[in-house]
Amino acid sequence: MTDAIAIRPLTQPPDAVVAVPGSRSVTNRALLIAALGEGRSTLDGASFSDDTDAMAAAWRTLGVPVAEDAAALRFVVDGCSGQWPVVNAVLDARAAGTAMRFLTAALCVGRGHYRLDGTARMRERPIQDLLDALSQLGARVRSEHDTGCPPVVIDARGLPGGTATVAGDKSSQFLSALLMAAPYAQRDVTIAVRGQLIARPFVDMTLGVMADFGVAVERDADLRFRIRSGQRYRGRTYRIEPDALGAHYFFAAAAVTGGRVRVNGIGRHSTQGDARFVEVLATMGATVTRTDEFIEVIGPTQLHGVDVDLNEISDTALTLAAIAPFASTPVRIRNVAHIRLQESDRLHAAATELQRLGVAVSEHDDGLEIQPSPVQPATVQTYDDHRVAMSFALIGLRVPGIRIADPACVAKTFPDYFARLESLRR
């Protein structure tokens, strides 16, 4: 791609059925569980992106057979029952937080010596809370440079098990990583969550995928989780539903342009918490239809402002920020302080880029307040963050002169995003 891409305003509201890739979050959980499991797993409808490629490549480096067919959206994994054929390896999680956190825990259940690294930004993202919890379970794992961040060094001698406490207020991926590795510990594992558990729907997703592959978790609300030792994931054919996060950009596009967008394959029973973003759009005046087979959004003549806690669906915060200037009243986004620790400091990035576009915005410790504002043309900087690029591109559907810098960064999760955005044109 070029250094920047121009987003052309739509000449009329969209009326479209949009296909989105499989869920990246479910795919990386299923890849890890299939690799840990016994027998062959076929993952259909999978996401093919930088993040899932990083996970699949790591398993191949460890000697786990992972075949892929991108045209068929399929991975085939031959599980190794928690014993990795390669016992000394250097692994690259790249920019994939799921790969870094999930692999760190999973590697502890086998035997070998491993080093897990990533991008420069990954080396700034905290992981010490996960390392501390794994140490409480008897793992030998540490931050190589004692920064509390990657690279991570693992001297794996099996995972003894027991009881661990993990912080819930920085990343739900820490808890998910522990949960998925826990069945392979030598004795039962109990995990207690300290503080608020953020992004709870992603933990629900983890538990759902674990159950689908044959492992049960006893749950005491969001405070304690118990996993019985000796359980094993069983290989199976597994269908991955379309990505609710990928879909939410197109639902927002319908809302901000007064158009209609339907996404099939995500319905009222979706296991993905981010499907709830349409509830925010409904509060802002959109008409939302949810059936067992699809979700459809029809945008209003004028969006209304909203004051909303997005802690549980925090990956949608940038999208709400991007459409907020077009609302009739202010939009307040709350309780998402943790997104400062993601691919970028997303709150500061959003505030900076909205200001670049002439929008009145206040940055708070835990969120943003955005005033209805005319938007001026500019090139949006994206901070090597796919969600900044995808969210702010929506502004260009309404306003001429919007360009998105470094559009190739969307390959992390949605490689053909801009082509699919263009498909809204009619």
Side-chain angles (χ1 to χ4, degrees), residues 51-305:
D51 277 15
T52 57
D53 187 62
M55 180 69 87
W59 288 122
R60 293 191 193 101
T61 299
L62 290 164
V64 178
V66 179
E68 64 182 55
D69 183 342
L73 302 178
R74 177 178 298 129
F75 286 103
V76 178
V77 183
D78 290 314
C80 289
S81 301
Q83 298 300 317
W84 322 128
V86 174
V87 297
N88 196 316
V90 175
L91 305 171
D92 185 3
R94 307 178 201 170
T98 50
M100 174 60 72
R101 280 76 177 264
F102 297 172
L103 285 165
T104 293
L107 288 170
C108 293
V109 310
R111 293 186 179 274
H113 187 80
Y114 306 104
R115 181 178 184 271
L116 185 54
D117 203 355
T119 62
R121 175 61 178 172
M122 185 60 72
R123 287 185 167 202
E124 298 173 346
R125 297 181 68 181
I127 199 169
Q128 190 62 49
D129 286 309
L130 174 58
L131 305 185
D132 289 345
L134 287 166
S135 296
Q136 292 168 42
L137 296 176
R140 301 187 180 201
V141 57
R142 61 185 175 85
S143 167
E144 183 177 65
H145 303 306
D146 295 323
T147 60
C149 300
V152 171
V153 176
I154 301 152
D155 181 15
R157 303 183 186 184
L159 188 64
T163 300
T165 300
V166 66
D169 60 354
K170 294 185 177 67
S171 174
S172 66
Q173 291 173 6
F174 298 160
L175 176 57
S176 287
L178 294 166
L179 288 168
M180 287 188 286
Y184 290 78
Q186 295 158 13
R187 61 181 189 271
D188 293 356
V189 170
T190 299
I191 305 167
V193 177
R194 181 178 68 252
Q196 179 188 22
L197 177 59
I198 62 172
R200 187 178 66 232
F202 282 102
V203 176
D204 296 337
M205 177 191 295
T206 298
L207 296 173
V209 180
M210 291 173 67
D212 289 341
F213 281 82
V215 168
V217 178
E218 299 168 25
R219 180 178 187 175
D220 177 11
D222 289 328
L223 301 178
R224 295 177 71 85
F225 300 80
R226 186 177 184 186
I227 306 92
R228 302 283 183 175
S229 179
Q231 298 185 82
R232 293 293 181 263
Y233 300 117
R234 299 186 298 270
R236 56 163 296 177
T237 298
Y238 193 64
R239 167 62 63 173
I240 294 166
E241 71 177 6
D243 186 28
L245 268 174
H248 98 282
Y249 298 109
F250 298 93
F251 296 143
V256 80
T257 61
R260 180 192 74 89
V261 167
R262 175 181 294 186
V263 176
N264 293 323
I266 307 175
R268 62 166 65 97
H269 302 300
S270 173
T271 61
Q272 300 175 74
D274 293 299
R276 290 169 43 203
F277 181 69
V278 296
E279 297 171 12
V280 178
L281 296 178
T283 302
M284 299 179 78
T287 300
V288 175
T289 301
R290 282 178 286 194
T291 73
D292 290 345
E293 291 80 29
F294 66 82
I295 297 177
E296 181 178 278
V297 172
I298 300 174
T301 303
Q302 173 66 62
L303 285 171
H304 312 309

Side-chain angles (χ1 to χ4, degrees), residues 1-7 402-407 418-419:
M1 283 189 174
T2 58
D3 291 339
I5 189 171
I7 309 298
I402 302 299
R403 292 170 59 84
I404 303 297
D406 186 25
F418 290 105

